[in-house]
Amino acid sequence: MPPPRRRPGGRTARTRAQVLDAVLAELGEHGYDGLTMEAVAARAGVHRATVYRRWEDVGGLLADVLDAAGDDAWRPPDTGSLTGDLAALNHEIQDALTAQPPIMAALIAASFRSEKAAHAQRRLWEDRYARCEIVVSRAVRRGELPPHTDARRLLIASTAPLYHELVLLRTPPDPHLPDDAARTAALAAAAGAFAEPPSASGT
Amino acid sequence: MPPPRRRPGGRTARTRAQVLDAVLAELGEHGYDGLTMEAVAARAGVHRATVYRRWEDVGGLLADVLDAAGDDAWRPPDTGSLTGDLAALNHEIQDALTAQPPIMAALIAASFRSEKAAHAQRRLWEDRYARCEIVVSRAVRRGELPPHTDARRLLIASTAPLYHELVLLRTPPDPHLPDDAARTAALAAAAGAFAEPPSASGT
């Protein structure tokens, strides 16, 4: 007896996974300049017409890779202290930015070539900031931070130096930087740097 | 009586200025993708052969633009306080990153296309950090900071959130961000976040 035919949704999901895997592989091997609809279709074993119809262009492929990356169960680390959580987060970022093949670095570089990729990258990062709000609320609950601390500003202060060094300045990775940047942000936060002004109704 | 012939050094310098002005104009109008040796030569009114011989390729042109940008008398602001100096610096950066035409943004984008441009950008930024060390030494002298504060780390903490928001996340400019990021870095610095560990001989 032949196996039951897969439902269209299943086949569509499988095609998507094959295509996005192929995008990552091509990007890791050749970077943005080597990424073509043809190479992705061939590597995925999917008809070119399907790839064009569904993703339109290379920017569409990259945007879908980024959207798919955000469709996971990722949660921020829970180490028991604000500095520990921020440091663990920074180690994840440093690992991703220095991984081989350099997928994350290539995606960031691609965001300068494609508006669609830039928008998808922003969606992904903003979603990560939102998921990390719990790091800040836990720290407030432990009494490590003033209430009404702006989580997004704190997270950017903690993580931005890593992107600045590794992505913009392209300095070799400094093994101390994830911890140093986390400690810096936590010190500033404890000093009230990210405290939101009291609302009008609260005064 | 005819004017004296210009010295070769003068003519070379004039050619360089014409070519680099043309690079900036082309970059501002068309971005990296529209930047060609031919268009730069035509716009500068200089022989193509001269441009190829002296700058080799588009990366060479961009690197020379960045090197020329660093060949100035720029000094960091001196406002009388650490927070004020860092905030003034951040306003300069935010203005440059949001200027029209978007030359600085285009140069940063180009650094992802050309190794030469990436190296030259790093040289320029590292030179700026070195020039800004006086901001930190003045603050130490005023008693605002502990001695042996690491100027480069402080400067990156203060400036990185601007690049992160405007260049990587591409959020619309926030008029408060230059001051907020400066205040954050100054608070962390006053709390000792950038204090260098005492040297072995000092213990």
Side-chain angles (χ1 to χ4, degrees):
Chain A
M1 197 174 78
R5 284 188 63 188
R6 284 172 185 268
R7 285 175 299 112
R11 198 184 56 178
T12 302
R14 203 168 66 241
T15 299
R16 184 184 182 213
Q18 285 166 336
V19 167
L20 298 190
D21 283 352
V23 173
L24 291 175
E26 290 290 318
L27 198 64
E29 283 174 26
H30 309 296
Y32 184 94
D33 283 312
L35 191 67
T36 65
M37 300 296 273
E38 286 69 25
V40 167
R43 185 164 204 145
V46 169
H47 282 297
R48 272 177 40 167
T50 305
V51 178
Y52 275 102
R53 194 172 53 242
R54 184 147 167 202
W55 286 277
E56 200 170 306
D57 56 21
V58 164
L61 287 171
L62 291 166
D64 203 29
V65 160
L66 288 158
D67 286 341
D71 191 15
D72 63 4
W74 184 86
R75 282 161 190 274
D78 185 2
T79 67
S81 77
L82 176 65
T83 308
D85 287 359
L86 295 175
L89 200 54
N90 276 353
H91 281 285
E92 281 188 27
I93 292 170
Q94 178 137 310
D95 288 350
L97 287 174
T98 55
Q100 288 302 327
I103 300 287
M104 187 168 177
L107 285 169
I108 294 174
S111 75
F112 289 93
R113 311 284 288 276
S114 156
E115 282 284 315
K116 284 183 202 169
H119 283 128
Q121 178 176 277
R122 185 174 173 198
R123 273 197 302 277
L124 175 60
W125 290 9
E126 295 291 353
D127 175 64
R128 293 310 205 216
Y129 297 138
R131 293 196 207 184
C132 286
E133 281 169 13
I134 193 169
V135 165
V136 174
S137 57
R138 285 192 304 241
V140 169
R141 218 153 44 224
R142 283 188 301 257
E144 293 181 271
L145 286 182
H148 310 297
T149 292
D150 185 326
R152 188 178 177 284
R153 279 180 52 215
L154 167 51
L155 290 160
I156 287 185
S158 178
T159 59
L162 275 82
Y163 292 98
H164 200 80
E165 292 276 16
L166 295 169
V167 176
L168 297 178
L169 286 167
R170 301 167 183 82
T171 40
D174 169 358
H176 301 296
L177 182 57
D179 295 334
D180 285 348
R183 199 172 62 95
T184 297
L187 279 171
F194 311 107
E196 289 167 335
S199 66
S201 62
T203 54
Chain B
M1 196 175 80
R5 284 187 63 187
R6 283 171 186 268
R7 287 174 300 109
R11 197 183 56 177
T12 302
R14 201 169 67 243
T15 299
R16 184 184 182 215
Q18 285 165 338
V19 167
L20 298 189
D21 282 351
V23 173
L24 290 176
E26 290 289 319
L27 197 64
E29 283 174 26
H30 309 295
Y32 183 93
D33 283 313
L35 191 66
T36 64
M37 301 295 273
E38 286 68 25
V40 167
R43 186 164 202 144
V46 169
H47 282 295
R48 270 176 43 166
T50 306
V51 178
Y52 275 102
R53 192 170 55 241
R54 182 146 168 204
W55 287 278
E56 199 171 308
D57 55 22
V58 164
L61 287 171
L62 290 166
D64 203 30
V65 161
L66 288 157
D67 286 340
D71 191 18
D72 63 4
W74 184 86
R75 282 160 191 275
D78 184 2
T79 67
S81 76
L82 175 64
T83 308
D85 287 359
L86 295 176
L89 199 53
N90 276 352
H91 281 285
E92 282 189 25
I93 292 170
Q94 178 136 309
D95 288 349
L97 287 174
T98 56
Q100 288 301 329
I103 299 287
M104 188 169 177
L107 286 169
I108 293 175
S111 75
F112 289 92
R113 311 285 289 274
S114 155
E115 283 284 314
K116 284 183 203 170
H119 284 128
Q121 179 177 277
R122 185 172 173 200
R123 272 197 302 278
L124 174 60
W125 289 10
E126 295 291 352
D127 176 64
R128 292 308 204 220
Y129 297 138
R131 293 195 207 185
C132 285
E133 281 170 14
I134 193 168
V135 165
V136 175
S137 59
R138 284 192 304 240
V140 170
R141 218 154 43 225
R142 282 189 300 257
E144 292 181 272
L145 286 181
H148 310 298
T149 293
D150 185 326
R152 188 177 177 284
R153 279 180 53 217
L154 167 52
L155 289 159
I156 286 185
S158 178
T159 60
L162 275 80
Y163 291 98
H164 201 80
E165 293 277 16
L166 296 169
V167 177
L168 297 178
L169 286 167
R170 299 166 183 83
T171 40
D174 169 358
H176 300 296
L177 183 57
D179 294 335
D180 284 348
R183 200 173 61 96
T184 297
L187 279 171
F194 311 108
E196 290 167 335
S199 65
S201 64
T203 56

